[in-house]
């Protein structure tokens, strides 16, 4: 019995295993790079920071007390918008915010009293009677925009 028996041939196709490279090159996906960075550092990404507004954004023809209240109101609105957006998933913040409140740009073009109401903010944080008819940028807003 010197002969070795060969196994019977089957009709199955044979599979060859080949090593494959990455599907995406390492810099090909920003989302995957962010996930990789989070996993390596063990940290979450900070919320996006909007640029601070300066005094040159406020019209110069406003009285100083009105300009000060407008600046204070702008800070409150920016903080409230950022707070609300931070509750939503990172990729869908603007869309989900827009569904509930309207776009941030539309809110900034509303009269201050309407913007405070839309965002659910108390209007006693500023002297609303000084800035009620102004929009975020210090221009006259249309009355009753909502």
């Amino acid at each position: 019995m010197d002969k070795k028996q060969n196994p019977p041939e089957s009709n199955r196709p044979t599979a060859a295993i080949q090593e494959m490279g990455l599907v995406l090159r390492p810099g090909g996906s920003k989302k995957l790079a962010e996930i990789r960075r989070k996993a390596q550092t063990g940290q979450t990404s900070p919320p996006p920071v909007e640029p601070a507004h300066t005094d040159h954004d406020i019209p110069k023809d406003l009285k100083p007390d009105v300009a000060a209240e407008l600046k204070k109101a702008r800070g409150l609105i920016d903080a409230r918008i950022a707070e609300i957006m931070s509750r939503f998933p990172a990729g869908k913040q603007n869309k989900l915010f827009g569904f509930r409140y309207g776009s941030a740009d539309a809110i900034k073009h509303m009269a201050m009293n309407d913007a405070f109401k839309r965002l659910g903010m108390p209007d006693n944080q500023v002297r609303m009677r000084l800035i009620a008819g102004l929009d975020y940028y210090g221009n006259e807003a249309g009355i009753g925009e909502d």
Side-chain angles (χ1 to χ4, degrees):
M1 290 236 160
D2 293 329
K3 293 184 180 179
K4 292 184 182 177
Q5 291 182 351
N6 290 334
E9 290 187 31
S10 67
N11 293 344
R12 288 183 171 180
T14 58
I17 299 174
Q18 298 175 356
E19 189 172 326
M20 298 286 293
L22 295 175
V23 175
L24 290 174
R25 56 184 170 76
S29 172
K30 290 180 183 178
K31 287 184 180 182
L32 288 176
E34 180 68 19
I35 292 169
R36 188 179 312 112
R37 187 190 63 77
K38 284 181 187 178
Q40 289 172 351
T41 60
Q43 299 175 350
T44 60
S45 63
V49 177
E50 292 188 19
H53 298 286
T54 59
D55 291 338
H56 66 80
D57 292 341
I58 298 174
K60 302 221 183 282
D61 59 339
L62 293 177
K63 294 179 182 175
D65 56 341
V66 174
E69 288 300 311
L70 181 63
K71 188 174 182 181
K72 184 177 177 183
R74 287 168 64 165
L76 292 170
I77 288 174
D78 286 340
R80 179 69 176 154
I81 289 173
E83 173 193 344
I84 292 169
M85 283 192 177
S86 70
R87 293 187 236 155
F88 298 131
K92 299 185 184 257
Q93 289 177 337
N94 290 330
K95 188 166 195 112
L96 293 174
F97 182 86
F99 285 151
R100 175 68 173 93
Y101 299 95
S103 72
D105 191 49
I107 290 173
K108 290 179 180 182
H109 282 85
M110 290 179 176
M112 279 291 169
N113 56 353
D114 293 336
F116 270 65
K117 286 178 189 174
R118 175 73 55 93
L119 294 172
M121 299 169 55
D123 60 358
N124 63 356
Q125 297 174 336
V126 294
R127 293 189 297 178
M128 189 56 75
R129 63 181 171 74
L130 293 176
I131 59 172
L134 300 177
D135 68 2
Y136 181 89
Y137 303 103
N139 304 318
E140 288 292 322
I143 297 174
E145 285 184 28
D146 206 21

Short mmCIF file of all heavy atoms in Angstrom, two decimals, residues 29-75:
data_model
loop_
_atom_site.label_atom_id
_atom_site.label_comp_id
_atom_site.label_asym_id
_atom_site.label_seq_id
_atom_site.Cartn_x
_atom_site.Cartn_y
_atom_site.Cartn_z
N SER A 29 -11.44 60.35 3.70
CA SER A 29 -12.72 60.62 4.35
C SER A 29 -12.50 61.45 5.60
O SER A 29 -11.79 61.05 6.51
CB SER A 29 -13.40 59.31 4.72
OG SER A 29 -14.54 59.55 5.51
N LYS A 30 -13.14 62.59 5.64
CA LYS A 30 -13.01 63.46 6.80
C LYS A 30 -13.69 62.84 8.02
O LYS A 30 -13.21 62.95 9.14
CB LYS A 30 -13.62 64.83 6.51
CG LYS A 30 -12.82 65.63 5.51
CD LYS A 30 -13.48 66.96 5.26
CE LYS A 30 -12.71 67.73 4.19
NZ LYS A 30 -13.34 69.01 3.87
N LYS A 31 -14.82 62.18 7.79
CA LYS A 31 -15.54 61.57 8.91
C LYS A 31 -14.73 60.44 9.53
O LYS A 31 -14.63 60.33 10.75
CB LYS A 31 -16.90 61.04 8.45
CG LYS A 31 -17.90 62.14 8.17
CD LYS A 31 -19.24 61.56 7.82
CE LYS A 31 -20.23 62.67 7.55
NZ LYS A 31 -21.56 62.16 7.24
N LEU A 32 -14.14 59.60 8.69
CA LEU A 32 -13.32 58.52 9.22
C LEU A 32 -12.08 59.05 9.92
O LEU A 32 -11.65 58.52 10.94
CB LEU A 32 -12.92 57.56 8.09
CG LEU A 32 -14.03 56.68 7.54
CD1 LEU A 32 -13.52 55.85 6.37
CD2 LEU A 32 -14.61 55.79 8.60
N ALA A 33 -11.50 60.11 9.38
CA ALA A 33 -10.33 60.71 10.03
C ALA A 33 -10.71 61.27 11.40
O ALA A 33 -9.95 61.14 12.36
CB ALA A 33 -9.75 61.82 9.14
N GLU A 34 -11.89 61.87 11.51
CA GLU A 34 -12.34 62.41 12.79
C GLU A 34 -12.58 61.27 13.79
O GLU A 34 -12.21 61.37 14.95
CB GLU A 34 -13.61 63.22 12.59
CG GLU A 34 -14.17 63.85 13.84
CD GLU A 34 -13.29 64.94 14.41
OE1 GLU A 34 -12.44 65.48 13.70
OE2 GLU A 34 -13.46 65.25 15.60
N ILE A 35 -13.19 60.19 13.33
CA ILE A 35 -13.42 59.03 14.20
C ILE A 35 -12.09 58.45 14.65
O ILE A 35 -11.91 58.11 15.82
CB ILE A 35 -14.27 57.97 13.47
CG1 ILE A 35 -15.69 58.49 13.25
CG2 ILE A 35 -14.30 56.66 14.24
CD1 ILE A 35 -16.53 57.64 12.33
N ARG A 36 -11.14 58.33 13.72
CA ARG A 36 -9.82 57.81 14.06
C ARG A 36 -9.12 58.70 15.07
O ARG A 36 -8.52 58.24 16.04
CB ARG A 36 -8.97 57.68 12.79
CG ARG A 36 -7.66 56.96 13.00
CD ARG A 36 -6.85 56.83 11.71
NE ARG A 36 -7.60 56.36 10.56
CZ ARG A 36 -7.90 57.10 9.49
NH1 ARG A 36 -7.50 58.34 9.39
NH2 ARG A 36 -8.58 56.59 8.49
N ARG A 37 -9.24 60.02 14.88
CA ARG A 37 -8.59 60.96 15.79
C ARG A 37 -9.20 60.86 17.19
O ARG A 37 -8.50 60.84 18.19
CB ARG A 37 -8.71 62.39 15.27
CG ARG A 37 -7.91 63.40 16.10
CD ARG A 37 -8.22 64.81 15.73
NE ARG A 37 -9.60 65.19 15.98
CZ ARG A 37 -10.10 65.47 17.19
NH1 ARG A 37 -9.35 65.41 18.24
NH2 ARG A 37 -11.36 65.82 17.31
N LYS A 38 -10.54 60.74 17.25
CA LYS A 38 -11.20 60.60 18.54
C LYS A 38 -10.78 59.33 19.25
O LYS A 38 -10.56 59.32 20.46
CB LYS A 38 -12.71 60.60 18.36
CG LYS A 38 -13.31 61.95 18.10
CD LYS A 38 -14.82 61.82 17.96
CE LYS A 38 -15.45 63.10 17.53
NZ LYS A 38 -16.91 62.94 17.35
N ALA A 39 -10.69 58.25 18.49
CA ALA A 39 -10.31 56.97 19.07
C ALA A 39 -8.88 57.00 19.59
O ALA A 39 -8.58 56.41 20.63
CB ALA A 39 -10.47 55.85 18.04
N GLN A 40 -8.01 57.67 18.89
CA GLN A 40 -6.61 57.74 19.31
C GLN A 40 -6.42 58.64 20.53
O GLN A 40 -5.64 58.33 21.41
CB GLN A 40 -5.73 58.24 18.16
CG GLN A 40 -5.59 57.22 17.05
CD GLN A 40 -4.88 57.79 15.83
OE1 GLN A 40 -4.64 58.98 15.75
NE2 GLN A 40 -4.56 56.92 14.90
N THR A 41 -7.14 59.75 20.57
CA THR A 41 -6.96 60.67 21.69
C THR A 41 -7.93 60.41 22.83
O THR A 41 -7.69 60.84 23.95
CB THR A 41 -7.13 62.13 21.23
OG1 THR A 41 -8.44 62.30 20.70
CG2 THR A 41 -6.10 62.51 20.20
N GLY A 42 -9.05 59.74 22.54
CA GLY A 42 -10.03 59.47 23.57
C GLY A 42 -10.82 60.71 23.96
O GLY A 42 -11.39 60.78 25.03
N GLN A 43 -10.87 61.70 23.09
CA GLN A 43 -11.56 62.94 23.38
C GLN A 43 -12.66 63.15 22.35
O GLN A 43 -12.66 62.57 21.28
CB GLN A 43 -10.60 64.13 23.32
CG GLN A 43 -9.48 64.05 24.30
CD GLN A 43 -8.50 65.19 24.11
OE1 GLN A 43 -8.57 65.92 23.14
NE2 GLN A 43 -7.59 65.33 25.04
N THR A 44 -13.57 64.02 22.71
CA THR A 44 -14.59 64.43 21.76
C THR A 44 -14.19 65.76 21.16
O THR A 44 -13.43 66.52 21.76
CB THR A 44 -15.97 64.57 22.44
OG1 THR A 44 -15.87 65.55 23.47
CG2 THR A 44 -16.43 63.25 23.02
N SER A 45 -14.70 66.05 19.99
CA SER A 45 -14.34 67.30 19.35
C SER A 45 -15.11 68.45 20.00
O SER A 45 -16.27 68.30 20.37
CB SER A 45 -14.65 67.25 17.85
OG SER A 45 -16.03 67.10 17.66
N PRO A 46 -14.48 69.60 20.16
CA PRO A 46 -15.17 70.73 20.75
C PRO A 46 -16.22 71.27 19.78
O PRO A 46 -16.10 71.09 18.57
CB PRO A 46 -14.05 71.77 20.96
CG PRO A 46 -13.01 71.40 19.96
CD PRO A 46 -13.12 69.91 19.79
N PRO A 47 -17.26 71.92 20.29
CA PRO A 47 -18.28 72.47 19.39
C PRO A 47 -17.67 73.57 18.54
O PRO A 47 -16.72 74.24 18.95
CB PRO A 47 -19.34 73.03 20.34
CG PRO A 47 -18.65 73.21 21.64
CD PRO A 47 -17.56 72.19 21.68
N PRO A 48 -18.21 73.76 17.33
CA PRO A 48 -17.66 74.80 16.47
C PRO A 48 -17.80 76.18 17.11
O PRO A 48 -18.83 76.49 17.70
CB PRO A 48 -18.48 74.70 15.19
CG PRO A 48 -19.67 73.90 15.55
CD PRO A 48 -19.32 73.08 16.74
N VAL A 49 -16.76 76.97 16.98
CA VAL A 49 -16.76 78.30 17.59
C VAL A 49 -16.99 79.33 16.49
O VAL A 49 -16.30 79.34 15.48
CB VAL A 49 -15.41 78.57 18.30
CG1 VAL A 49 -15.39 79.97 18.87
CG2 VAL A 49 -15.17 77.54 19.37
N GLU A 50 -18.00 80.17 16.71
CA GLU A 50 -18.27 81.22 15.75
C GLU A 50 -17.36 82.40 16.05
O GLU A 50 -17.01 82.65 17.20
CB GLU A 50 -19.73 81.65 15.83
CG GLU A 50 -20.67 80.56 15.37
CD GLU A 50 -22.10 81.06 15.28
OE1 GLU A 50 -22.31 82.28 15.22
OE2 GLU A 50 -22.99 80.22 15.27
N PRO A 51 -16.96 83.13 15.02
CA PRO A 51 -16.09 84.28 15.27
C PRO A 51 -16.81 85.34 16.09
O PRO A 51 -18.01 85.56 15.95
CB PRO A 51 -15.78 84.81 13.86
CG PRO A 51 -16.87 84.28 13.01
CD PRO A 51 -17.29 82.98 13.63
N ALA A 52 -16.05 85.96 16.98
CA ALA A 52 -16.62 87.00 17.83
C ALA A 52 -16.92 88.24 16.99
O ALA A 52 -16.21 88.56 16.04
CB ALA A 52 -15.64 87.35 18.94
N HIS A 53 -17.99 88.91 17.34
CA HIS A 53 -18.37 90.11 16.61
C HIS A 53 -17.65 91.30 17.22
O HIS A 53 -17.40 91.36 18.41
CB HIS A 53 -19.88 90.31 16.67
CG HIS A 53 -20.62 89.19 16.02
ND1 HIS A 53 -20.68 89.05 14.67
CD2 HIS A 53 -21.30 88.15 16.55
CE1 HIS A 53 -21.39 87.97 14.37
NE2 HIS A 53 -21.76 87.41 15.49
N THR A 54 -17.35 92.23 16.41
CA THR A 54 -16.66 93.42 16.88
C THR A 54 -17.59 94.62 16.81
O THR A 54 -18.68 94.55 16.26
CB THR A 54 -15.41 93.69 16.02
OG1 THR A 54 -15.84 93.86 14.65
CG2 THR A 54 -14.44 92.54 16.10
N ASP A 55 -17.15 95.72 17.37
CA ASP A 55 -17.98 96.92 17.41
C ASP A 55 -18.23 97.49 16.02
O ASP A 55 -19.20 98.21 15.82
CB ASP A 55 -17.32 97.98 18.29
CG ASP A 55 -17.34 97.57 19.77
OD1 ASP A 55 -18.19 96.73 20.12
OD2 ASP A 55 -16.52 98.09 20.54
N HIS A 56 -17.35 97.21 15.05
CA HIS A 56 -17.56 97.78 13.72
C HIS A 56 -18.75 97.16 13.01
O HIS A 56 -19.20 97.68 12.00
CB HIS A 56 -16.29 97.71 12.87
CG HIS A 56 -15.87 96.31 12.51
ND1 HIS A 56 -16.46 95.60 11.51
CD2 HIS A 56 -14.92 95.51 13.03
CE1 HIS A 56 -15.90 94.41 11.42
NE2 HIS A 56 -14.97 94.33 12.33
N ASP A 57 -19.30 96.06 13.54
CA ASP A 57 -20.50 95.46 12.96
C ASP A 57 -21.75 96.26 13.31
O ASP A 57 -22.76 96.17 12.63
CB ASP A 57 -20.69 94.03 13.47
CG ASP A 57 -19.63 93.08 12.96
OD1 ASP A 57 -18.98 93.42 11.95
OD2 ASP A 57 -19.44 92.02 13.56
N ILE A 58 -21.69 97.02 14.38
CA ILE A 58 -22.84 97.79 14.85
C ILE A 58 -22.81 99.15 14.17
O ILE A 58 -21.78 99.81 14.13
CB ILE A 58 -22.79 97.93 16.38
CG1 ILE A 58 -22.88 96.54 17.02
CG2 ILE A 58 -23.92 98.81 16.88
CD1 ILE A 58 -22.71 96.53 18.52
N PRO A 59 -23.96 99.59 13.63
CA PRO A 59 -23.98 100.91 12.96
C PRO A 59 -23.53 102.04 13.91
O PRO A 59 -23.85 102.04 15.09
CB PRO A 59 -25.45 101.08 12.57
CG PRO A 59 -26.01 99.71 12.55
CD PRO A 59 -25.24 98.92 13.55
N LYS A 60 -22.81 102.97 13.37
CA LYS A 60 -22.26 104.06 14.18
C LYS A 60 -23.31 105.10 14.56
O LYS A 60 -23.09 105.89 15.47
CB LYS A 60 -21.12 104.72 13.42
CG LYS A 60 -20.01 103.74 13.07
CD LYS A 60 -18.67 104.37 13.27
CE LYS A 60 -17.56 103.44 12.86
NZ LYS A 60 -17.28 102.42 13.81
N ASP A 61 -24.45 105.13 13.87
CA ASP A 61 -25.46 106.14 14.16
C ASP A 61 -26.33 105.79 15.37
O ASP A 61 -27.18 106.58 15.75
CB ASP A 61 -26.33 106.40 12.94
CG ASP A 61 -27.06 105.16 12.45
OD1 ASP A 61 -26.62 104.04 12.79
OD2 ASP A 61 -28.05 105.30 11.73
N LEU A 62 -26.10 104.64 15.99
CA LEU A 62 -26.86 104.27 17.18
C LEU A 62 -26.30 104.99 18.40
O LEU A 62 -25.11 105.25 18.50
CB LEU A 62 -26.79 102.76 17.42
CG LEU A 62 -27.47 101.86 16.40
CD1 LEU A 62 -27.24 100.40 16.75
CD2 LEU A 62 -28.95 102.14 16.33
N LYS A 63 -27.18 105.28 19.34
CA LYS A 63 -26.76 105.88 20.60
C LYS A 63 -25.91 104.86 21.36
O LYS A 63 -26.10 103.65 21.22
CB LYS A 63 -27.96 106.28 21.43
CG LYS A 63 -28.78 107.39 20.80
CD LYS A 63 -29.97 107.71 21.66
CE LYS A 63 -30.81 108.79 21.00
NZ LYS A 63 -32.03 109.05 21.75
N PRO A 64 -24.98 105.33 22.21
CA PRO A 64 -24.10 104.39 22.92
C PRO A 64 -24.84 103.38 23.79
O PRO A 64 -24.46 102.21 23.84
CB PRO A 64 -23.22 105.31 23.78
CG PRO A 64 -23.29 106.64 23.13
CD PRO A 64 -24.61 106.72 22.44
N ASP A 65 -25.91 103.81 24.47
CA ASP A 65 -26.63 102.86 25.31
C ASP A 65 -27.39 101.83 24.49
O ASP A 65 -27.47 100.65 24.85
CB ASP A 65 -27.57 103.57 26.29
CG ASP A 65 -28.55 104.51 25.59
OD1 ASP A 65 -28.30 104.88 24.43
OD2 ASP A 65 -29.58 104.85 26.22
N VAL A 66 -27.89 102.24 23.32
CA VAL A 66 -28.57 101.30 22.42
C VAL A 66 -27.55 100.32 21.84
O VAL A 66 -27.80 99.11 21.78
CB VAL A 66 -29.31 102.05 21.29
CG1 VAL A 66 -29.89 101.08 20.28
CG2 VAL A 66 -30.41 102.94 21.86
N ALA A 67 -26.38 100.82 21.45
CA ALA A 67 -25.32 99.96 20.91
C ALA A 67 -24.86 98.95 21.96
O ALA A 67 -24.62 97.77 21.64
CB ALA A 67 -24.15 100.80 20.43
N ALA A 68 -24.76 99.38 23.22
CA ALA A 68 -24.33 98.46 24.29
C ALA A 68 -25.37 97.36 24.50
O ALA A 68 -25.02 96.18 24.66
CB ALA A 68 -24.10 99.24 25.58
N GLU A 69 -26.65 97.73 24.51
CA GLU A 69 -27.71 96.73 24.68
C GLU A 69 -27.77 95.78 23.48
O GLU A 69 -28.01 94.59 23.64
CB GLU A 69 -29.07 97.40 24.89
CG GLU A 69 -29.21 98.06 26.24
CD GLU A 69 -29.05 97.09 27.41
OE1 GLU A 69 -29.68 96.02 27.40
OE2 GLU A 69 -28.29 97.41 28.33
N LEU A 70 -27.56 96.32 22.29
CA LEU A 70 -27.56 95.49 21.09
C LEU A 70 -26.42 94.48 21.14
O LEU A 70 -26.59 93.30 20.83
CB LEU A 70 -27.45 96.35 19.83
CG LEU A 70 -27.46 95.60 18.50
CD1 LEU A 70 -28.78 94.86 18.31
CD2 LEU A 70 -27.22 96.56 17.35
N LYS A 71 -25.27 94.93 21.58
CA LYS A 71 -24.11 94.04 21.69
C LYS A 71 -24.38 92.94 22.71
O LYS A 71 -24.06 91.76 22.49
CB LYS A 71 -22.88 94.86 22.09
CG LYS A 71 -21.60 94.10 22.06
CD LYS A 71 -20.44 95.04 22.33
CE LYS A 71 -19.13 94.30 22.27
NZ LYS A 71 -18.00 95.17 22.55
N LYS A 72 -25.00 93.31 23.83
CA LYS A 72 -25.35 92.33 24.87
C LYS A 72 -26.36 91.31 24.32
O LYS A 72 -26.22 90.10 24.52
CB LYS A 72 -25.91 93.07 26.07
CG LYS A 72 -26.23 92.21 27.25
CD LYS A 72 -26.70 93.09 28.41
CE LYS A 72 -27.11 92.27 29.59
NZ LYS A 72 -27.63 93.12 30.69
N ALA A 73 -27.38 91.81 23.60
CA ALA A 73 -28.41 90.93 23.04
C ALA A 73 -27.81 89.99 22.00
O ALA A 73 -28.18 88.81 21.93
CB ALA A 73 -29.53 91.76 22.42
N ARG A 74 -26.89 90.49 21.20
CA ARG A 74 -26.23 89.63 20.20
C ARG A 74 -25.47 88.50 20.86
O ARG A 74 -25.50 87.35 20.40
CB ARG A 74 -25.29 90.47 19.34
CG ARG A 74 -26.02 91.35 18.37
CD ARG A 74 -25.13 92.36 17.73
NE ARG A 74 -24.10 91.74 16.91
CZ ARG A 74 -23.38 92.40 16.02
NH1 ARG A 74 -23.56 93.68 15.84
NH2 ARG A 74 -22.47 91.78 15.32
N GLY A 75 -24.78 88.81 21.94
CA GLY A 75 -24.07 87.77 22.67
C GLY A 75 -25.01 86.72 23.23
O GLY A 75 -24.73 85.51 23.18
#
